[in-house]
């Protein structure tokens, strides 16, 4: 959706009325008409994606292994492609992706030998949207939600360790948490030097506040 609400702060305050809100990243990027802009905030970690074994037989047999490592991105990535009409309206092709990569140990057997290798377990949330807006309007994209559960235990020091009756002094509970990634975009058509100057001053003020 696109809104005429002036700046991001007004919408962030609205989100804060619905629950805990945290700003993950606040980048700015420039691009040309019909050219893709990419924003990424996260880390790359290498995991094993292929393993090969080569045995050389001669006076004695020798086995060598070739392990291939591939980087996996964990974080937030956003692809934006703008198309500006003759009237100054902007059609944006927006593709946000949220990926979370964790380690998982797997036992792989190659040529009769077993190895425990760090492999990647990837959880991906993404969407693909086409939005039409005017220059300066704020675009809001939501729906990238995640439910997580964790157990939390409580115990009385000392008493919880007594054999037999210690469990009477212990308790646990399941905590369920729902999070949603909300993306705010503000496309601005730069048609003169005054727009560049205004945007540069806004960025400078943000740096000074931090």
């Amino acid at each position: 959706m696109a809104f005429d609400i002036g700046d991001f702060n007004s919408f962030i305050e609205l989100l804060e009325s619905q629950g805990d809100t945290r700003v993950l990243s606040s980048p700015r990027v420039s691009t040309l008409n019909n050219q893709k802009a990419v924003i990424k905030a996260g880390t790359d970690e290498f995991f094993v994606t292929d393993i090969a074994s080569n045995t050389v037989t001669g006076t004695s047999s020798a086995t060598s292994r070739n392990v291939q490592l591939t980087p996996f991105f964990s974080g937030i990535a956003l692809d934006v492609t703008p198309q500006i009409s003759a009237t100054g309206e902007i059609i944006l092709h927006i593709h946000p992706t949220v990926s979370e990569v964790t380690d998982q140990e797997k036992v792989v057997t190659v040529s009769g030998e077993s190895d425990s290798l760090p492999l990647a377990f990837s959880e991906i949330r993404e969407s693909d949207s086409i939005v039409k807006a005017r220059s300066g309007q704020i675009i809001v994209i939501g729906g990238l939600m995640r439910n997580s559960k964790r157990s939390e235990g409580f115990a009385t020091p000392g008493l919880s360790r007594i054999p037999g009756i210690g469990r009477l002094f212990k308790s646990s509970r399941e905590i369920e948490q729902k999070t949603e990634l909300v993306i705010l975009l503000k496309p601005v058509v730069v048609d003169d030097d005054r727009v560049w100057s205004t945007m540069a001053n806004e960025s400078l003020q943000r740096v000074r506040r931090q």
Side-chain angles (χ1 to χ4, degrees), residues 124-146:
I124 299 177
R125 291 171 286 156
E126 61 182 341
S127 67
D128 200 81
S129 305
I130 296 179
V131 181
K132 185 177 182 180
R134 296 189 304 273
S135 178
Q137 279 190 312
I138 292 180
I139 299 171
V140 182
I141 297 177
L144 297 175
M145 307 183 72
R146 180 192 180 192

Side-chain angles (χ1 to χ4, degrees), residues 84-205:
I84 305 173
S85 67
T87 59
E89 291 183 321
I90 309 168
I91 298 176
L92 293 166
H93 182 192
I94 307 168
H95 182 204
T97 303
V98 182
S99 58
E100 299 179 17
V101 181
T102 56
D103 292 335
Q104 61 173 351
E105 293 289 332
K106 290 276 188 175
V107 177
V108 179
T109 302
V110 180
S111 298
E113 296 189 19
S114 298
D115 288 319
S116 181
L117 300 176
L119 302 181
F121 179 79
S122 181
E123 180 183 346
I124 299 177
R125 291 171 286 156
E126 61 182 341
S127 67
D128 200 81
S129 305
I130 296 179
V131 181
K132 185 177 182 180
R134 296 189 304 273
S135 178
Q137 279 190 312
I138 292 180
I139 299 171
V140 182
I141 297 177
L144 297 175
M145 307 183 72
R146 180 192 180 192
N147 291 327
S148 60
K149 293 182 179 181
R150 61 185 177 89
S151 297
E152 196 172 72
F154 305 90
T156 303
L159 296 178
S160 61
R161 298 181 180 180
I162 300 176
I165 64 171
R167 60 183 180 179
L168 298 177
F169 300 93
K170 297 179 182 179
S171 63
S172 63
R173 65 176 179 176
E174 293 286 336
I175 299 177
E176 183 175 356
Q177 187 177 31
K178 178 181 291 186
T179 58
E180 179 180 9
L181 176 65
V182 179
I183 298 173
L184 307 180
L185 298 174
K186 184 179 181 180
V188 178
V189 178
V190 179
D191 51 6
D192 55 44
D193 293 337
R194 289 177 298 176
V195 177
W196 280 117
S197 178
T198 301
M199 295 177 63
N201 289 332
E202 291 177 356
S203 298
L204 182 60
Q205 294 298 325

